[in-house]
Amino acid sequence: MKKTAFVFLLVVTFSVCKGADIYFVSLEGNDNNPGTKEKPFGTISKARDAARKLPGKTGPTIIYLRGGTYVFKNTLEFGSADKNIVLMPFEKEPVIFSGGISINPTKVKRLDQTAYASEFAENLRKKIGVLNLRELNISDYGQLHSVGFSRPYQPSWMELFINDKPGQLARWPNDSTVAMGRVIDKGSVPRDGDNGNRGGKFVYGTDRPSGWKKTKDVWISGYFNYGYAEDAVQLAALDTVGKTFTTVEPHIYGFNSGKNWNRWYAYNIPEEIDQNGEYYLDRERGLLFFYLPSLITKLDLSLLRDPLIALEGSQNITIKNISFEVSRSMGIYMERSESCTLSDCIFRNLGSLAVTIGKGIMPFKTQKHEGSGEESSRVLGSLDQHQYENTTFNRQGGKNNRIVNCHIYNTGAGGISLGGGDRLTLTPAGNSIENCRIHDFNRIEKSYRPAINIDGVGNRIANCEIYNAPSMAILLHGNDHILEYSTIYDVCREVDDQGAFYYGRDASERGHKVRFNYFHHLGNANRTTAIYHDDGACGMEVFGNIFFKAGTIPVLIGGGQDISYKNNLFIDSPLGIHVDNRFQNWSKNSLDKDGVIEKRLKAVKFDQPPYAIKYPELVNYWKDNPAIPKRLVFDNNIFVRIKTTRKGEDSWFIWSEKNMVSDIYPYNWKMMDSRHFIPDDTQLAVPEGWQVLPVEKIGIQKDYQ
């Protein structure tokens, strides 16, 4: 795959030298021009159309973009007629694709110079600016909506970006949360089939809300029951006498309190504009209030609700060195595409994801944990809920597409959704994410919005760096995926009972390889893990990885089978590996007739080819007492400063005598807490047959092709 892409780039370079088809586009151009360097086109779509009309086109067409910010009011579309096109800046001139509008900072008025000053505390009047959006003819503000566990991906509301940094709807507390008090009414519980849509009511236990005058559109966000299910809902009532919140909508599991993670914060409160980046939009008057920085050099508002670019059925399209930003939706959408490459691009300040490869599902109209929906292009919507019930859903993600050397940050709802491949036939897609840096990707939506959602068959994540997230880094579905040479740290910073790399509850999802990755500095005081094989997950090979301070439980296997851990290095954790037999106790109904496990095995015809051939252990799944963990192999692993190497019945483990326990750190003590230092196993005493870890190949690589 890498070789094919490299050859294509060589062809591009050679073709340019030999006078390949080249068009130029400039913000100062005109579509009546011939598209030359001297007389460029004015729009990219004109250059695309010109490329389509080239007679006998066989080689690549280069579309050079002159520097500047290209504002998109609609999606730039590439379809099945578009092949062998390279879209890139000319001579490294900076090019931005924006889905928003830039506001001249001179349009901002200081609050104390307006008639609205009396609405705010006197000490803040000189620190808050005001934009009159009506005077700027901006009226599409979007709507605040609930975001969280079991809720659909949706475009964000209009957001404010100041000096290229995303704003924050004014909140309290600014950088912390408040413990939930006594729950008076847990509300409806949709997860139990209670669709009465009754909100919850609980005591908030602080005097701060007494100072909030505008309570019509206040929202709260928090982990209202379980620690893996964050939610955000609007308040229906705020009782400052009884100190209670009543919500408009229910939480899917009902409201609860008493756990460490049962905490909340409130937002969209004008009185709480008290630090850089905070803002509040008065929708009735069209007034945008925000905290003034010392200097405003750039001010942007997001408007576009659709992808900036869509590649649908295209082949050999390369998009290179472009920044995608200030939009309410995703940067790029791909479907049925082949051998397309996104290279050296930046995706930032987007309301949703950076890139989606594969179809989604139209958002459900009611809150559901799982269900069947209508497949759709250019959205993700209720994909998670649809895939839970329809595990063989083919997203038509195309094949041999690459996202390489890209930087993704400050996105609203995750990084990349990577689909492709057919689970019924086990046909691989060969799509990949390589050498990408992904961080700070949960500005708006937190629960189950990972840096990378990978599904389908035969896709790959390599040499990525993923960090700074409240929840998981990678969520996996499907078969035969590879995660290798990546570094993952500072994720799972808020949650309980969740892993940085997570999959489960489907015994047919097998064939995955996790090798030569570095999981470190994960989690918080709650239960967190590096690799979470949840609810009977099976069939993964984990080889040559480093787990350093990787959560409270670096590896958790919840009743699974056919999992091997070999040649891994565990460092500095209270526990190394946890295995349990949940299918014999609290989760035994998962194995019921017509239960979730049986449905998913039947969906792929697990006892017939190709599954019966590719995964021979699967054929006897029901004959072999699936309630008991089995064929869990641990060999040639090294445990350094691990208080307890494993937890679980000895009969569940195939535990080699070559597993080694040590008290000697394999690196300089001064480096032990560095996020960018990888332990060197050549300093360790190792078991016979140990394969030295290729630490120099882990993480972002220079000159990666």
Side-chain angles (χ1 to χ4, degrees), residues 99-131:
I101 183 173
S102 290
I103 307 297
N104 190 325
T106 62
K107 298 293 184 181
V108 179
K109 295 181 180 180
R110 210 169 69 184
L111 181 64
D112 63 352
Q113 298 173 350
T114 70
Y116 320 115
S118 61
E119 301 176 16
F120 291 82
E122 185 174 355
N123 65 316
L124 293 174
R125 292 173 187 173
K126 292 184 179 181
K127 299 179 180 180
I128 294 176
V130 184
L131 268 178

PDB file of all heavy atoms in Angstrom, residues 99-131:
ATOM      1  N   GLY A  99     -14.905  26.626   6.720  1.00  0.00           N
ATOM      2  CA  GLY A  99     -16.362  26.558   6.640  1.00  0.00           C
ATOM      3  C   GLY A  99     -17.010  27.658   7.449  1.00  0.00           C
ATOM      4  O   GLY A  99     -18.163  27.541   7.867  1.00  0.00           O
ATOM      5  N   GLY A 100     -16.268  28.735   7.675  1.00  0.00           N
ATOM      6  CA  GLY A 100     -16.792  29.805   8.517  1.00  0.00           C
ATOM      7  C   GLY A 100     -16.664  31.165   7.892  1.00  0.00           C
ATOM      8  O   GLY A 100     -16.513  31.312   6.674  1.00  0.00           O
ATOM      9  N   ILE A 101     -16.718  32.155   8.737  1.00  0.00           N
ATOM     10  CA  ILE A 101     -16.599  33.535   8.304  1.00  0.00           C
ATOM     11  C   ILE A 101     -15.674  34.267   9.264  1.00  0.00           C
ATOM     12  O   ILE A 101     -15.736  34.062  10.475  1.00  0.00           O
ATOM     13  CB  ILE A 101     -17.986  34.229   8.258  1.00  0.00           C
ATOM     14  CG1 ILE A 101     -17.863  35.666   7.738  1.00  0.00           C
ATOM     15  CG2 ILE A 101     -18.683  34.194   9.609  1.00  0.00           C
ATOM     16  CD1 ILE A 101     -19.215  36.332   7.504  1.00  0.00           C
ATOM     17  N   SER A 102     -14.785  35.070   8.703  1.00  0.00           N
ATOM     18  CA  SER A 102     -13.881  35.876   9.515  1.00  0.00           C
ATOM     19  C   SER A 102     -14.510  37.241   9.763  1.00  0.00           C
ATOM     20  O   SER A 102     -15.040  37.867   8.838  1.00  0.00           O
ATOM     21  CB  SER A 102     -12.525  36.039   8.823  1.00  0.00           C
ATOM     22  OG  SER A 102     -11.824  34.820   8.804  1.00  0.00           O
ATOM     23  N   ILE A 103     -14.427  37.678  11.000  1.00  0.00           N
ATOM     24  CA  ILE A 103     -15.009  38.957  11.400  1.00  0.00           C
ATOM     25  C   ILE A 103     -13.880  39.952  11.653  1.00  0.00           C
ATOM     26  O   ILE A 103     -12.899  39.625  12.337  1.00  0.00           O
ATOM     27  CB  ILE A 103     -15.856  38.809  12.680  1.00  0.00           C
ATOM     28  CG1 ILE A 103     -16.898  37.699  12.506  1.00  0.00           C
ATOM     29  CG2 ILE A 103     -16.508  40.132  13.051  1.00  0.00           C
ATOM     30  CD1 ILE A 103     -17.913  37.954  11.430  1.00  0.00           C
ATOM     31  N   ASN A 104     -14.021  41.129  11.110  1.00  0.00           N
ATOM     32  CA  ASN A 104     -13.044  42.183  11.376  1.00  0.00           C
ATOM     33  C   ASN A 104     -13.087  42.546  12.856  1.00  0.00           C
ATOM     34  O   ASN A 104     -14.146  42.907  13.375  1.00  0.00           O
ATOM     35  CB  ASN A 104     -13.366  43.416  10.526  1.00  0.00           C
ATOM     36  CG  ASN A 104     -12.265  44.452  10.564  1.00  0.00           C
ATOM     37  OD1 ASN A 104     -11.611  44.637  11.594  1.00  0.00           O
ATOM     38  ND2 ASN A 104     -12.061  45.141   9.455  1.00  0.00           N
ATOM     39  N   PRO A 105     -11.964  42.419  13.569  1.00  0.00           N
ATOM     40  CA  PRO A 105     -11.971  42.727  15.007  1.00  0.00           C
ATOM     41  C   PRO A 105     -12.461  44.125  15.349  1.00  0.00           C
ATOM     42  O   PRO A 105     -12.885  44.361  16.477  1.00  0.00           O
ATOM     43  CB  PRO A 105     -10.493  42.550  15.394  1.00  0.00           C
ATOM     44  CG  PRO A 105      -9.956  41.571  14.404  1.00  0.00           C
ATOM     45  CD  PRO A 105     -10.650  41.905  13.118  1.00  0.00           C
ATOM     46  N   THR A 106     -12.425  45.031  14.390  1.00  0.00           N
ATOM     47  CA  THR A 106     -12.917  46.391  14.670  1.00  0.00           C
ATOM     48  C   THR A 106     -14.429  46.409  14.887  1.00  0.00           C
ATOM     49  O   THR A 106     -14.970  47.416  15.367  1.00  0.00           O
ATOM     50  CB  THR A 106     -12.549  47.343  13.521  1.00  0.00           C
ATOM     51  OG1 THR A 106     -13.175  46.903  12.306  1.00  0.00           O
ATOM     52  CG2 THR A 106     -11.042  47.393  13.328  1.00  0.00           C
ATOM     53  N   LYS A 107     -15.112  45.330  14.516  1.00  0.00           N
ATOM     54  CA  LYS A 107     -16.570  45.255  14.714  1.00  0.00           C
ATOM     55  C   LYS A 107     -16.927  44.968  16.172  1.00  0.00           C
ATOM     56  O   LYS A 107     -18.088  45.083  16.562  1.00  0.00           O
ATOM     57  CB  LYS A 107     -17.159  44.154  13.828  1.00  0.00           C
ATOM     58  CG  LYS A 107     -16.965  44.372  12.332  1.00  0.00           C
ATOM     59  CD  LYS A 107     -17.759  45.566  11.828  1.00  0.00           C
ATOM     60  CE  LYS A 107     -17.628  45.715  10.309  1.00  0.00           C
ATOM     61  NZ  LYS A 107     -18.390  46.886   9.810  1.00  0.00           N
ATOM     62  N   VAL A 108     -15.923  44.566  16.960  1.00  0.00           N
ATOM     63  CA  VAL A 108     -16.170  44.248  18.360  1.00  0.00           C
ATOM     64  C   VAL A 108     -16.245  45.536  19.179  1.00  0.00           C
ATOM     65  O   VAL A 108     -15.398  46.421  19.060  1.00  0.00           O
ATOM     66  CB  VAL A 108     -15.048  43.348  18.922  1.00  0.00           C
ATOM     67  CG1 VAL A 108     -15.305  43.039  20.393  1.00  0.00           C
ATOM     68  CG2 VAL A 108     -14.955  42.050  18.112  1.00  0.00           C
ATOM     69  N   LYS A 109     -17.278  45.629  20.018  1.00  0.00           N
ATOM     70  CA  LYS A 109     -17.420  46.771  20.926  1.00  0.00           C
ATOM     71  C   LYS A 109     -17.171  46.305  22.354  1.00  0.00           C
ATOM     72  O   LYS A 109     -17.562  45.205  22.729  1.00  0.00           O
ATOM     73  CB  LYS A 109     -18.819  47.371  20.817  1.00  0.00           C
ATOM     74  CG  LYS A 109     -19.127  47.984  19.449  1.00  0.00           C
ATOM     75  CD  LYS A 109     -20.517  48.579  19.416  1.00  0.00           C
ATOM     76  CE  LYS A 109     -20.816  49.186  18.051  1.00  0.00           C
ATOM     77  NZ  LYS A 109     -22.189  49.769  17.995  1.00  0.00           N
ATOM     78  N   ARG A 110     -16.530  47.141  23.120  1.00  0.00           N
ATOM     79  CA  ARG A 110     -16.320  46.802  24.519  1.00  0.00           C
ATOM     80  C   ARG A 110     -17.620  46.975  25.275  1.00  0.00           C
ATOM     81  O   ARG A 110     -18.360  47.936  25.055  1.00  0.00           O
ATOM     82  CB  ARG A 110     -15.220  47.690  25.116  1.00  0.00           C
ATOM     83  CG  ARG A 110     -14.440  47.016  26.227  1.00  0.00           C
ATOM     84  CD  ARG A 110     -13.211  47.785  26.604  1.00  0.00           C
ATOM     85  NE  ARG A 110     -13.566  49.041  27.257  1.00  0.00           N
ATOM     86  CZ  ARG A 110     -12.689  49.957  27.633  1.00  0.00           C
ATOM     87  NH1 ARG A 110     -11.404  49.766  27.390  1.00  0.00           N
ATOM     88  NH2 ARG A 110     -13.074  51.061  28.232  1.00  0.00           N
ATOM     89  N   LEU A 111     -17.904  46.037  26.163  1.00  0.00           N
ATOM     90  CA  LEU A 111     -19.193  46.001  26.845  1.00  0.00           C
ATOM     91  C   LEU A 111     -19.527  47.307  27.559  1.00  0.00           C
ATOM     92  O   LEU A 111     -20.663  47.784  27.503  1.00  0.00           O
ATOM     93  CB  LEU A 111     -19.213  44.840  27.847  1.00  0.00           C
ATOM     94  CG  LEU A 111     -20.518  44.643  28.635  1.00  0.00           C
ATOM     95  CD1 LEU A 111     -21.667  44.293  27.705  1.00  0.00           C
ATOM     96  CD2 LEU A 111     -20.338  43.551  29.683  1.00  0.00           C
ATOM     97  N   ASP A 112     -18.538  47.905  28.205  1.00  0.00           N
ATOM     98  CA  ASP A 112     -18.830  49.117  28.972  1.00  0.00           C
ATOM     99  C   ASP A 112     -19.152  50.314  28.091  1.00  0.00           C
ATOM    100  O   ASP A 112     -19.515  51.383  28.581  1.00  0.00           O
ATOM    101  CB  ASP A 112     -17.677  49.446  29.925  1.00  0.00           C
ATOM    102  CG  ASP A 112     -16.379  49.754  29.200  1.00  0.00           C
ATOM    103  OD1 ASP A 112     -16.327  49.559  27.965  1.00  0.00           O
ATOM    104  OD2 ASP A 112     -15.417  50.181  29.859  1.00  0.00           O
ATOM    105  N   GLN A 113     -19.021  50.148  26.776  1.00  0.00           N
ATOM    106  CA  GLN A 113     -19.364  51.206  25.831  1.00  0.00           C
ATOM    107  C   GLN A 113     -20.700  50.931  25.141  1.00  0.00           C
ATOM    108  O   GLN A 113     -21.019  51.546  24.130  1.00  0.00           O
ATOM    109  CB  GLN A 113     -18.247  51.348  24.793  1.00  0.00           C
ATOM    110  CG  GLN A 113     -16.906  51.751  25.395  1.00  0.00           C
ATOM    111  CD  GLN A 113     -15.779  51.717  24.385  1.00  0.00           C
ATOM    112  OE1 GLN A 113     -15.934  51.215  23.274  1.00  0.00           O
ATOM    113  NE2 GLN A 113     -14.624  52.271  24.761  1.00  0.00           N
ATOM    114  N   THR A 114     -21.453  49.977  25.673  1.00  0.00           N
ATOM    115  CA  THR A 114     -22.753  49.627  25.097  1.00  0.00           C
ATOM    116  C   THR A 114     -23.856  49.763  26.136  1.00  0.00           C
ATOM    117  O   THR A 114     -23.594  49.984  27.328  1.00  0.00           O
ATOM    118  CB  THR A 114     -22.741  48.164  24.591  1.00  0.00           C
ATOM    119  OG1 THR A 114     -22.701  47.287  25.719  1.00  0.00           O
ATOM    120  CG2 THR A 114     -21.545  47.898  23.696  1.00  0.00           C
ATOM    121  N   ALA A 115     -25.086  49.597  25.665  1.00  0.00           N
ATOM    122  CA  ALA A 115     -26.249  49.687  26.559  1.00  0.00           C
ATOM    123  C   ALA A 115     -26.453  48.414  27.359  1.00  0.00           C
ATOM    124  O   ALA A 115     -27.354  48.348  28.201  1.00  0.00           O
ATOM    125  CB  ALA A 115     -27.503  49.976  25.728  1.00  0.00           C
ATOM    126  N   TYR A 116     -25.612  47.386  27.130  1.00  0.00           N
ATOM    127  CA  TYR A 116     -25.804  46.101  27.794  1.00  0.00           C
ATOM    128  C   TYR A 116     -24.917  45.950  29.026  1.00  0.00           C
ATOM    129  O   TYR A 116     -24.934  44.914  29.690  1.00  0.00           O
ATOM    130  CB  TYR A 116     -25.499  44.948  26.820  1.00  0.00           C
ATOM    131  CG  TYR A 116     -26.005  45.186  25.428  1.00  0.00           C
ATOM    132  CD1 TYR A 116     -25.116  45.320  24.361  1.00  0.00           C
ATOM    133  CD2 TYR A 116     -27.369  45.306  25.171  1.00  0.00           C
ATOM    134  CE1 TYR A 116     -25.573  45.555  23.071  1.00  0.00           C
ATOM    135  CE2 TYR A 116     -27.830  45.549  23.882  1.00  0.00           C
ATOM    136  CZ  TYR A 116     -26.925  45.679  22.840  1.00  0.00           C
ATOM    137  OH  TYR A 116     -27.376  45.915  21.570  1.00  0.00           O
ATOM    138  N   ALA A 117     -24.148  46.971  29.336  1.00  0.00           N
ATOM    139  CA  ALA A 117     -23.162  46.864  30.415  1.00  0.00           C
ATOM    140  C   ALA A 117     -23.791  46.497  31.750  1.00  0.00           C
ATOM    141  O   ALA A 117     -23.221  45.734  32.528  1.00  0.00           O
ATOM    142  CB  ALA A 117     -22.381  48.170  30.542  1.00  0.00           C
ATOM    143  N   SER A 118     -24.969  47.030  32.031  1.00  0.00           N
ATOM    144  CA  SER A 118     -25.601  46.803  33.336  1.00  0.00           C
ATOM    145  C   SER A 118     -26.017  45.350  33.547  1.00  0.00           C
ATOM    146  O   SER A 118     -26.338  44.950  34.665  1.00  0.00           O
ATOM    147  CB  SER A 118     -26.829  47.712  33.490  1.00  0.00           C
ATOM    148  OG  SER A 118     -27.781  47.427  32.476  1.00  0.00           O
ATOM    149  N   GLU A 119     -26.005  44.542  32.494  1.00  0.00           N
ATOM    150  CA  GLU A 119     -26.406  43.140  32.607  1.00  0.00           C
ATOM    151  C   GLU A 119     -25.296  42.271  33.204  1.00  0.00           C
ATOM    152  O   GLU A 119     -25.529  41.104  33.516  1.00  0.00           O
ATOM    153  CB  GLU A 119     -26.798  42.596  31.228  1.00  0.00           C
ATOM    154  CG  GLU A 119     -27.953  43.354  30.574  1.00  0.00           C
ATOM    155  CD  GLU A 119     -28.257  42.856  29.168  1.00  0.00           C
ATOM    156  OE1 GLU A 119     -27.794  41.737  28.828  1.00  0.00           O
ATOM    157  OE2 GLU A 119     -28.932  43.569  28.410  1.00  0.00           O
ATOM    158  N   PHE A 120     -24.098  42.841  33.359  1.00  0.00           N
ATOM    159  CA  PHE A 120     -22.960  42.075  33.842  1.00  0.00           C
ATOM    160  C   PHE A 120     -22.352  42.743  35.066  1.00  0.00           C
ATOM    161  O   PHE A 120     -22.542  43.938  35.304  1.00  0.00           O
ATOM    162  CB  PHE A 120     -21.903  41.955  32.735  1.00  0.00           C
ATOM    163  CG  PHE A 120     -22.334  41.096  31.581  1.00  0.00           C
ATOM    164  CD1 PHE A 120     -23.140  41.620  30.572  1.00  0.00           C
ATOM    165  CD2 PHE A 120     -21.956  39.766  31.495  1.00  0.00           C
ATOM    166  CE1 PHE A 120     -23.546  40.838  29.502  1.00  0.00           C
ATOM    167  CE2 PHE A 120     -22.358  38.980  30.431  1.00  0.00           C
ATOM    168  CZ  PHE A 120     -23.155  39.503  29.435  1.00  0.00           C
ATOM    169  N   ALA A 121     -21.610  41.960  35.830  1.00  0.00           N
ATOM    170  CA  ALA A 121     -20.945  42.486  37.014  1.00  0.00           C
ATOM    171  C   ALA A 121     -19.988  43.608  36.627  1.00  0.00           C
ATOM    172  O   ALA A 121     -19.344  43.563  35.575  1.00  0.00           O
ATOM    173  CB  ALA A 121     -20.191  41.363  37.726  1.00  0.00           C
ATOM    174  N   GLU A 122     -19.881  44.593  37.507  1.00  0.00           N
ATOM    175  CA  GLU A 122     -19.090  45.782  37.189  1.00  0.00           C
ATOM    176  C   GLU A 122     -17.630  45.441  36.912  1.00  0.00           C
ATOM    177  O   GLU A 122     -16.996  46.044  36.043  1.00  0.00           O
ATOM    178  CB  GLU A 122     -19.190  46.783  38.345  1.00  0.00           C
ATOM    179  CG  GLU A 122     -18.510  48.110  38.057  1.00  0.00           C
ATOM    180  CD  GLU A 122     -18.757  49.132  39.148  1.00  0.00           C
ATOM    181  OE1 GLU A 122     -19.536  48.842  40.077  1.00  0.00           O
ATOM    182  OE2 GLU A 122     -18.162  50.223  39.067  1.00  0.00           O
ATOM    183  N   ASN A 123     -17.093  44.469  37.627  1.00  0.00           N
ATOM    184  CA  ASN A 123     -15.671  44.134  37.451  1.00  0.00           C
ATOM    185  C   ASN A 123     -15.374  43.447  36.122  1.00  0.00           C
ATOM    186  O   ASN A 123     -14.212  43.268  35.742  1.00  0.00           O
ATOM    187  CB  ASN A 123     -15.195  43.246  38.601  1.00  0.00           C
ATOM    188  CG  ASN A 123     -15.883  41.898  38.608  1.00  0.00           C
ATOM    189  OD1 ASN A 123     -17.105  41.822  38.417  1.00  0.00           O
ATOM    190  ND2 ASN A 123     -15.138  40.835  38.836  1.00  0.00           N
ATOM    191  N   LEU A 124     -16.419  43.050  35.379  1.00  0.00           N
ATOM    192  CA  LEU A 124     -16.219  42.377  34.100  1.00  0.00           C
ATOM    193  C   LEU A 124     -16.542  43.256  32.895  1.00  0.00           C
ATOM    194  O   LEU A 124     -16.270  42.868  31.762  1.00  0.00           O
ATOM    195  CB  LEU A 124     -17.083  41.107  34.029  1.00  0.00           C
ATOM    196  CG  LEU A 124     -16.714  39.972  34.992  1.00  0.00           C
ATOM    197  CD1 LEU A 124     -17.747  38.855  34.902  1.00  0.00           C
ATOM    198  CD2 LEU A 124     -15.328  39.431  34.692  1.00  0.00           C
ATOM    199  N   ARG A 125     -17.084  44.428  33.119  1.00  0.00           N
ATOM    200  CA  ARG A 125     -17.604  45.230  32.005  1.00  0.00           C
ATOM    201  C   ARG A 125     -16.525  45.679  31.033  1.00  0.00           C
ATOM    202  O   ARG A 125     -16.786  45.854  29.847  1.00  0.00           O
ATOM    203  CB  ARG A 125     -18.373  46.433  32.557  1.00  0.00           C
ATOM    204  CG  ARG A 125     -19.657  46.013  33.254  1.00  0.00           C
ATOM    205  CD  ARG A 125     -20.346  47.173  33.954  1.00  0.00           C
ATOM    206  NE  ARG A 125     -21.486  46.688  34.744  1.00  0.00           N
ATOM    207  CZ  ARG A 125     -22.198  47.442  35.564  1.00  0.00           C
ATOM    208  NH1 ARG A 125     -21.882  48.739  35.730  1.00  0.00           N
ATOM    209  NH2 ARG A 125     -23.204  46.920  36.233  1.00  0.00           N
ATOM    210  N   LYS A 126     -15.299  45.882  31.528  1.00  0.00           N
ATOM    211  CA  LYS A 126     -14.222  46.292  30.635  1.00  0.00           C
ATOM    212  C   LYS A 126     -13.506  45.095  30.017  1.00  0.00           C
ATOM    213  O   LYS A 126     -12.625  45.267  29.182  1.00  0.00           O
ATOM    214  CB  LYS A 126     -13.221  47.163  31.393  1.00  0.00           C
ATOM    215  CG  LYS A 126     -13.770  48.516  31.803  1.00  0.00           C
ATOM    216  CD  LYS A 126     -12.688  49.361  32.458  1.00  0.00           C
ATOM    217  CE  LYS A 126     -13.240  50.740  32.839  1.00  0.00           C
ATOM    218  NZ  LYS A 126     -12.185  51.586  33.463  1.00  0.00           N
ATOM    219  N   LYS A 127     -13.901  43.893  30.436  1.00  0.00           N
ATOM    220  CA  LYS A 127     -13.211  42.696  29.971  1.00  0.00           C
ATOM    221  C   LYS A 127     -14.028  41.883  28.971  1.00  0.00           C
ATOM    222  O   LYS A 127     -13.559  40.848  28.476  1.00  0.00           O
ATOM    223  CB  LYS A 127     -12.854  41.808  31.174  1.00  0.00           C
ATOM    224  CG  LYS A 127     -11.930  42.495  32.172  1.00  0.00           C
ATOM    225  CD  LYS A 127     -11.633  41.591  33.354  1.00  0.00           C
ATOM    226  CE  LYS A 127     -10.717  42.279  34.361  1.00  0.00           C
ATOM    227  NZ  LYS A 127     -10.420  41.412  35.527  1.00  0.00           N
ATOM    228  N   ILE A 128     -15.229  42.328  28.683  1.00  0.00           N
ATOM    229  CA  ILE A 128     -16.115  41.590  27.779  1.00  0.00           C
ATOM    230  C   ILE A 128     -16.371  42.399  26.518  1.00  0.00           C
ATOM    231  O   ILE A 128     -16.629  43.604  26.580  1.00  0.00           O
ATOM    232  CB  ILE A 128     -17.441  41.245  28.479  1.00  0.00           C
ATOM    233  CG1 ILE A 128     -17.191  40.262  29.633  1.00  0.00           C
ATOM    234  CG2 ILE A 128     -18.443  40.638  27.494  1.00  0.00           C
ATOM    235  CD1 ILE A 128     -18.421  39.933  30.445  1.00  0.00           C
ATOM    236  N   GLY A 129     -16.282  41.718  25.367  1.00  0.00           N
ATOM    237  CA  GLY A 129     -16.596  42.335  24.087  1.00  0.00           C
ATOM    238  C   GLY A 129     -17.949  41.884  23.586  1.00  0.00           C
ATOM    239  O   GLY A 129     -18.479  40.849  24.002  1.00  0.00           O
ATOM    240  N   VAL A 130     -18.520  42.661  22.657  1.00  0.00           N
ATOM    241  CA  VAL A 130     -19.846  42.363  22.108  1.00  0.00           C
ATOM    242  C   VAL A 130     -19.798  42.444  20.585  1.00  0.00           C
ATOM    243  O   VAL A 130     -19.247  43.391  20.016  1.00  0.00           O
ATOM    244  CB  VAL A 130     -20.916  43.348  22.617  1.00  0.00           C
ATOM    245  CG1 VAL A 130     -22.297  42.934  22.107  1.00  0.00           C
ATOM    246  CG2 VAL A 130     -20.912  43.433  24.126  1.00  0.00           C
ATOM    247  N   LEU A 131     -20.357  41.418  19.936  1.00  0.00           N
ATOM    248  CA  LEU A 131     -20.560  41.437  18.495  1.00  0.00           C
ATOM    249  C   LEU A 131     -22.052  41.422  18.206  1.00  0.00           C
ATOM    250  O   LEU A 131     -22.778  40.563  18.724  1.00  0.00           O
ATOM    251  CB  LEU A 131     -19.923  40.209  17.842  1.00  0.00           C
ATOM    252  CG  LEU A 131     -18.488  40.295  17.333  1.00  0.00           C
ATOM    253  CD1 LEU A 131     -18.066  38.940  16.785  1.00  0.00           C
ATOM    254  CD2 LEU A 131     -18.348  41.352  16.252  1.00  0.00           C
TER     255      LEU A 131
END
